[in-house]
Amino acid sequence: MSITPQHIIFDMDDTLIHCNKYFDLILGDFFEWMTDWFSPFGLTTEEVRSKQIEIDIAGTKQLGFASTNFPQSLIATYRHYCQAHGRTLSTIEEEQLFVLGMSVYDQEVEPYPGMVETLERLQADGHRLYLYTGGEARIQQRKIEQMKLADYFGDRIYIRRHKNIEALEEIVSAGSFDRSHTWMIGNSLRTDVVPALTAGINSIYLKQQREWEYNLVELKQEPHNVLYTVSALTEVPDVIHHHFM
């Protein structure tokens, strides 16, 4: 059975390549520094984690995927507890935190298992592939080049600071896609699945074992279009294929 070629839009971070695990590594160092600096006050890792998540999510909602948002969330968390416990702020410590936070963008890029296999199979099946990622162009472009993703996506690559309902709708509308034959593949309920459902296109949610809390939202709407959930990237081609059988 031949399948009508589909427009398949892929998220990049934590869909095609690893991302969150590098933030977790940096946060591990941050928690150690904070509990050491604030040891006289009995500050716990969980207290620091909770406050950093709160600040990080608020900053992302306001500024989008700006590279400085993460290191600034570390500094803001540090300042919060300095004020709460009457500890003197240190410019040196703040500079150390900024360097620590920015170092997350220097990590070596690593693909998810099956990335090449999945993209090559979809490409061989005649589907048209698109890449849609959130962040700053310089940082995201470096990842794209290291993973040679242009081999699959060509110039069909969209990098947006704010990855939301409006951004996806603009991409779909500008491309004049047949929405019944368009798919959004991603790991974020907030920035991938909900915008896809709102735009009336099909969606495949790649569920991760550990997810950034910003990405987790309740699906309040009943999907009138297709929504599948998978646990591995390699399941995507079969889901699309079997959908039309």
Side-chain angles (χ1 to χ4, degrees):
M1 175 185 175
S2 62
I3 300 174
T4 301
Q6 306 292 296
H7 297 284
I8 304 175
I9 306 169
F10 276 94
D11 168 54
M12 183 169 71
D13 291 330
D14 284 315
T15 296
L16 295 177
I17 65 173
H18 284 281
C19 181
N20 283 345
K21 77 173 189 177
Y22 304 124
F23 284 87
D24 288 341
L25 287 171
I26 298 301
L27 284 171
D29 290 340
F30 174 61
F31 299 149
E32 285 188 17
W33 291 10
M34 287 289 289
T35 53
D36 178 48
W37 291 343
F38 289 84
S39 58
F41 309 102
L43 188 63
T44 67
T45 294
E46 282 311 308
E47 287 177 298
V48 180
R49 187 194 309 273
S50 177
K51 179 54 66 173
Q52 188 275 331
I53 288 173
E54 174 191 325
I55 293 171
D56 193 25
I57 289 176
T60 304
K61 287 180 178 178
Q62 180 181 359
L63 302 173
F65 296 103
S67 62
T68 56
N69 185 65
F70 179 63
Q72 291 295 350
S73 77
L74 307 186
I75 293 170
T77 302
Y78 165 79
R79 289 175 176 172
H80 168 82
Y81 285 111
C82 280
Q83 183 176 17
H85 295 291
R87 185 180 184 276
T88 303
L89 288 168
S90 164
T91 302
I92 293 174
E93 288 173 346
E94 290 195 358
E95 289 173 352
Q96 289 174 334
L97 289 174
F98 188 80
V99 171
L100 176 68
M102 289 301 290
S103 71
V104 75
Y105 305 112
D106 298 326
Q107 306 298 317
E108 194 63 35
V109 181
E110 180 185 355
Y112 263 88
M115 182 196 80
V116 170
E117 171 192 339
T118 299
L119 295 177
E120 287 189 347
R121 182 178 166 192
L122 291 169
Q123 195 174 54
D125 286 344
H127 302 304
R128 196 158 177 78
L129 307 182
Y130 305 78
L131 188 66
Y132 168 42
T133 180
E136 292 182 2
R138 174 182 57 85
I139 293 170
Q140 299 305 84
Q141 196 62 49
R142 179 179 69 87
K143 299 177 187 177
I144 290 166
E145 290 171 1
Q146 287 186 5
M147 289 290 99
K148 296 180 168 50
L149 291 177
D151 291 352
Y152 307 101
F153 299 102
D155 61 355
R156 301 176 303 279
I157 295 173
Y158 307 92
I159 301 173
R160 298 289 186 269
R161 174 72 65 86
H162 292 276
K163 196 161 181 272
N164 51 28
I165 290 170
E166 292 76 19
L168 182 59
E169 176 59 39
E170 183 267 328
I171 290 169
V172 173
S173 296
S176 300
F177 297 169
D178 178 345
R179 299 189 189 224
S180 64
H181 292 290
T182 300
W183 299 73
M184 178 73 224
I185 319 296
N187 66 295
S188 172
L189 291 171
R190 180 190 294 272
T191 63
D192 299 319
V193 175
V194 170
L197 295 179
T198 305
I201 65 175
N202 307 313
S203 182
I204 298 179
Y205 171 47
L206 179 58
K207 188 175 177 61
Q208 303 290 4
Q209 288 186 330
R210 289 193 71 253
E211 188 54 85
W212 182 28
E213 287 194 28
Y214 176 78
N215 287 333
L216 299 174
V217 294
E218 183 182 352
L219 291 180
K220 297 180 180 179
Q221 61 204 100
E222 187 68 29
H224 299 293
N225 38 318
V226 174
L227 171 60
Y228 292 98
T229 299
V230 300
S231 57
L233 187 58
T234 49
E235 296 176 55
V236 169
D238 283 336
V239 167
I240 293 174
H241 182 80
H242 292 306
H243 173 72
F244 293 96
M245 294 183 66

